[in-house]
Amino acid sequence: MMLTALILADSRFPGGGHVHSGGLEEAAARGLVHDEPSLRAFLHGRLLGAGLLAAGFAAAAARGEDLDVLDAELDARTPSPAQRSASRAQGRGMLRAARRAWPSARLEALPRDPHQPLVIGVLVDEPFEAALTCAYLAVSGPASAAVRLLGLDPFGVNAIVAALAVEEVAVRACKELPALGSPALDLLAEAHVRREGVRLFGS
């Protein structure tokens, strides 16, 4: 399953993740993220909040827990409608691509319009690898967006991602189903969806 995890984490996988910034676009528009140190702080907070939450649900799905229950529980832990919508949009995109690459009965057992972490868990089918994939995607997408939006040095941005405790978060995610909140990301998501004018990213 490691190859599946690697493919899912690859930015070339046509799952639609490239149109989401994970709150980075709104944070940049407000001047909260503008250079490498502020990006490091943003990604660190995102990894320990939204990243850990998503990774926990990916691990639970990989363990074979009830997918409908997990879907409802992840909804309950995501108070921002914009965040829920983004998660489900990415889930749809990933599921569409996965049905072509890895058709299976387990994929068809997913809830209609599933959250992205559940799709990852079902595809990877190994809790730690699923959690690691989800945790990595939680920071790699916003990091890539920072390069595009702010013109930051891609070498420096990748160094930031490499130094994050992604594996430690994946280990924690396998131990329990998190019930964390990310109120700052929730607020950024709601502000972003209401922002007038041109937006480069959907979230």
Side-chain angles (χ1 to χ4, degrees):
M1 289 300 144
M2 179 57 79
L3 179 59
T4 303
L6 289 172
I7 292 172
L8 293 175
D10 190 330
S11 62
R12 293 169 297 182
F13 183 73
H18 65 284
V19 300
H20 295 275
S21 75
L24 192 282
E25 183 170 31
E26 187 64 26
R30 292 169 177 261
L32 301 174
V33 177
H34 51 85
D35 57 9
E36 288 187 15
S38 56
L39 176 64
R40 183 180 296 109
F42 178 87
L43 294 178
H44 176 75
R46 180 165 174 74
L47 177 62
L48 296 182
L52 178 58
L53 180 66
F57 275 85
R63 284 194 298 267
E65 296 185 24
D66 187 300
L67 295 170
D68 290 308
V69 171
L70 290 175
D71 195 70
E73 289 202 21
L74 185 49
D75 240 21
R77 287 167 168 82
T78 312
S80 160
Q83 292 264 65
R84 290 196 301 270
S85 176
S87 176
R88 291 191 184 280
Q90 291 178 83
R92 284 193 304 274
M94 187 167 280
L95 182 57
R96 181 181 176 195
R99 281 175 169 150
R100 292 292 302 273
W102 307 283
S104 71
R106 180 93 166 121
L107 275 181
E108 299 311 316
L110 280 160
R112 182 177 168 276
D113 202 21
H115 283 286
Q116 183 193 39
L118 304 189
V119 180
I120 291 172
V122 166
L123 287 170
V124 177
D125 201 31
E126 196 288 316
F128 175 73
E129 290 179 12
L132 186 62
T133 303
C134 230
Y136 173 73
L137 287 172
V139 292
S140 63
S144 176
V147 173
R148 294 164 66 185
L149 288 166
L150 299 170
L152 298 181
D153 175 12
F155 293 100
V157 169
N158 278 294
I160 291 170
V161 173
L164 292 170
V166 176
E167 290 188 358
E168 292 176 24
V169 166
V171 169
R172 285 180 59 191
C174 291
K175 294 179 180 177
E176 60 183 341
L177 203 56
L180 301 167
S182 300
L185 287 176
D186 291 335
L187 292 171
L188 288 172
E190 291 303 310
H192 185 265
V193 80
R194 291 174 172 79
R195 179 176 289 278
E196 296 181 358
V198 177
R199 292 179 297 167
L200 187 59
F201 294 94
S203 71

